[in-house]
Amino acid sequence: MSASSENNGQIFALIAEFETPGAIMSAAEKVRDAGFKNWDVITPFPVHGMDQAMGLSRSKIPIVAFCGGLTGFTLGMSMVYYMNKVDYPLVVGGMPYFSPVFPFPVAYELTILFAAIGSIISMFLFNSLPMHHHPTLNYEQIEKASNDRYFIVIESTDPQFDETKTPNLLKDIGGNNIGKLED
Amino acid sequence: MTTLTDTVPANTALIDEARPADLPRQVLVENDRDFDWITNKICGIVEAKTPTWWWIAFTLSAFVSLFTVFGIIYLVSTGVGVWGLADPVNWGWAIVNFVFWIGIGHAGTLISAILCLLRQKWRTSINRAAEAMTVFAVVCAGIFPLIHVGRMWFAWWLFPIPNSNAIWPNFRSPLLWDVFAVSTYGTVSFLFWYVGMIPDLATIRDRAKTKIRKIAYGIFAMGWRGSNRHWRNYEMTYLLLAGLSTPLVLSVHTVVSFDFAVSLIPGWHTTIFPPYFVAGAIFSGFGMVLTLMLPLRAIYGLHDLITQYHIDCMCKILLATGTMVGYAYMMEFFIAWYGANDFEAFAFVNRAFGPYAWSYWIMISCNVIAPQFFWFKKIRQNPMIVWIVCIFVNIGMWFERFVITVTSLSRDFLPSSWGYYSPTIVDVFTYVGTFGIFMFLFLLFLRFLPLMPMGEIKAVMPQADPHHGKNHH
């Protein structure tokens, strides 16, 4: 609620608005090249190629998904082994108590279940969500950010941040309505 | 390219002639709409005053869903004798309805997962509703195995939970695989649906005018703020979920078909069942998607988002899968003859010409003949006819499961034990009620949740391309 006008709070970041995906893309490249670290781009949909423009590495989620899948498969197989062979051997049609074949559907489904849950949980953890109190959410124009406008947020904690130079940089790269976000 | 034309101007005409024609990309959002229009259109559905038709439909579906509630109460208080099950047919409508509803759900996963992996951009405007359909269809499907176990207060014995008998489930049984397959399917489909909705819930939150609305949508939006650092992980998760749902959806109906195929009953014990069930499931699911989306398109005026191109694509998928199902019907007959097994041959002749021949021919005409109309562009362009054909597909796919389940059981190896199965009124009401439950949930979804993924639709529009308007060559 309390952006730009009142200045009694701590400045969290500067925010600038852009009109098109093309404009935000080239602006992001310039912010990246200027060497900023604690900054972000707010878009209503994932803009193709923005990760490279921001200089972000590939997401680590597949690693978690793989570990989840491996856990699920191992859990499925060992569960059946323990239950049908060790704890209560179950004689069915004179067949062996355990074989890797018949528990396969169970292990397979658990592989998928654990990989899916793993990737969703890690997505929330890596993104630090849910977080309902982020200063960006208090920005009065936030409605535009989930509709058809694009924003660059440069945080004051960035070592390069400067109260006079950074607004000029945002202006130079084509940003409009440059405002302040407060903590 | 420029250097070539500059240095050898005489060749320009030849190069233009030899260059492959620029095939126009199908427009996914018609009438040149902008992002703001899409946001207003989709959020508008949720934000507008509740329409009268919604209240009427909601009350009606709530009433119809009571049929299932009372059907189950009567079943539990009296016993499974209230159903039409009797030796030798001990799998009746309950299992038919279960397979029917699970099959319906498969199109939702196909649209959201497989078409995502295949980069079919037209999926974006229908995937949310189709995923909702999946989740609600699994809810309806889940009711039947639960009440079919007879003493449903022991249904938890199906799960590997220690019980007072100290016996674990038998993991060799396909019915137990089903427990894992369907519960995983339900969970993953729900999570996929929800994760896809988070950015749209954030849009509705940001637009909310009242405090309660802001908080309610805010909680479920998880504080999403469209940060690109988040989108990076989000898109990867979405892609992974699509990649995981694809083998999942194929495995679920495969495991469902194992319920039949792993037995020794003639007509069930066939290796064609898994692919045949999966094709049938996608066929029935697309039938249901169109059954739901065509009226929605008309009511909410979504013609710019669900274009003729979308309907065309879905009709073609119906045509392809319907023909695959027809091929499977033929191949079953061929193998029954070619396999030289008397019981198997009898089972199939009995299906087509025995006491249940009526149901077999309903199945053939609805599933194999009806979709053949989609060869004609004129028919695909008439939403009314498309909708009617889809109703036939829904009916036909229910009958397919009926034919498979009942004909084989009613005429097994010993003529002395043959019987004829008919449902009772309790069977009928319990089944009809599930349509009420399905519509009840779907109407709530329409009213409170974003019908289409706004972010995804925007992302496939030409304006979303950062190089839009620049020279591509």
Side-chain angles (χ1 to χ4, degrees), chain B residues 188-436:
Chain B
V188 173
S189 301
F190 176 78
L191 291 173
F192 197 8
W193 180 56
Y194 173 64
V195 166
M197 240 173 341
I198 289 174
D200 294 337
L201 292 173
T203 305
I204 300 179
R205 173 203 62 197
D206 293 344
R207 289 165 58 96
K209 298 274 182 284
T210 65
K211 188 97 185 158
I212 298 172
R213 236 183 138 73
K214 209 165 191 84
I215 292 172
Y217 284 101
I219 289 170
F220 290 104
M222 293 269 180
W224 184 263
R225 54 181 190 270
S227 150
N228 193 63
R229 291 177 193 273
H230 292 178
W231 279 119
R232 179 179 67 125
N233 290 324
Y234 177 89
E235 278 208 291
M236 183 56 86
T237 304
Y238 200 83
L239 183 68
L240 281 169
L241 286 177
L244 290 165
S245 299
T246 302
L248 175 63
V249 70
L250 299 179
S251 80
V252 171
H253 231 58
T254 300
V255 168
V256 169
S257 81
F258 283 167
D259 292 346
F260 298 91
V262 172
S263 76
L264 293 173
I265 306 286
W268 288 7
H269 188 64
T270 55
T271 48
I272 201 175
F273 260 33
Y276 155 37
F277 267 53
V278 172
I282 290 163
F283 178 60
S284 69
F286 267 95
M288 190 58 106
V289 170
L290 277 168
T291 310
L292 294 170
M293 293 312 272
L294 289 175
L296 284 184
R297 178 181 188 246
I299 291 169
Y300 288 123
L302 299 168
H303 298 73
D304 291 340
L305 293 167
I306 304 171
T307 64
Q308 182 55 42
Y309 173 64
H310 291 93
I311 297 174
D312 249 25
C313 288
M314 287 191 270
C315 287
K316 285 172 188 168
I317 290 181
L318 273 173
L319 176 60
T321 47
T323 312
M324 279 180 217
V325 168
Y327 170 79
Y329 296 157
M330 266 173 20
M331 200 39 74
E332 279 186 321
F333 261 85
F334 172 73
I335 294 296
W337 166 75
Y338 189 69
N341 180 317
D342 287 343
F343 295 104
E344 191 77 7
F346 172 77
F348 282 95
V349 172
N350 179 55
R351 264 187 201 178
F353 304 107
Y356 289 105
W358 56 273
S359 62
Y360 183 83
W361 295 106
I362 292 177
M363 168 186 100
I364 292 284
S365 30
C366 291
N367 291 352
V368 187
I369 299 169
Q372 302 306 321
F373 286 107
F374 290 148
W375 286 105
F376 306 104
K377 198 173 182 178
K378 275 253 161 355
I379 287 180
R380 296 199 303 267
Q381 282 175 340
N382 186 331
M384 199 61 211
I385 299 181
V386 171
W387 195 77
I388 291 169
V389 171
C390 289
I391 293 290
F392 277 114
V393 169
N394 292 329
I395 296 170
M397 282 312 291
W398 187 86
F399 271 97
E400 180 197 293
R401 281 64 178 251
F402 178 82
V403 166
I404 292 170
T405 310
V406 175
T407 56
S408 286
L409 284 176
S410 69
R411 293 279 183 277
D412 65 359
F413 301 97
L414 280 178
S416 60
S417 63
W418 286 0
Y420 189 88
Y421 166 84
S422 305
T424 62
I425 193 79
V426 184
D427 281 303
V428 178
F429 269 75
T430 310
Y431 173 55
V432 171
T434 52
F435 282 93

Side-chain angles (χ1 to χ4, degrees), chain A residues 18-77:
Chain A
F18 296 82
E19 293 264 322
T20 62
I24 188 88
M25 189 79 135
S26 56
E29 282 164 357
K30 282 166 194 150
V31 176
R32 173 198 66 191
D33 294 341
F36 283 95
K37 292 280 171 286
N38 300 342
W39 64 292
D40 210 343
V41 173
I42 308 285
T43 54
F45 54 85
V47 176
H48 188 69
M50 185 57 87
D51 292 352
Q52 291 90 317
M54 281 182 75
L56 298 178
S57 61
R58 193 180 145 87
S59 171
K60 300 282 183 294
I61 285 179
I63 301 168
V64 184
F66 179 78
C67 297
L70 210 60
T71 314
F73 190 81
T74 317
L75 182 80
M77 281 292 177

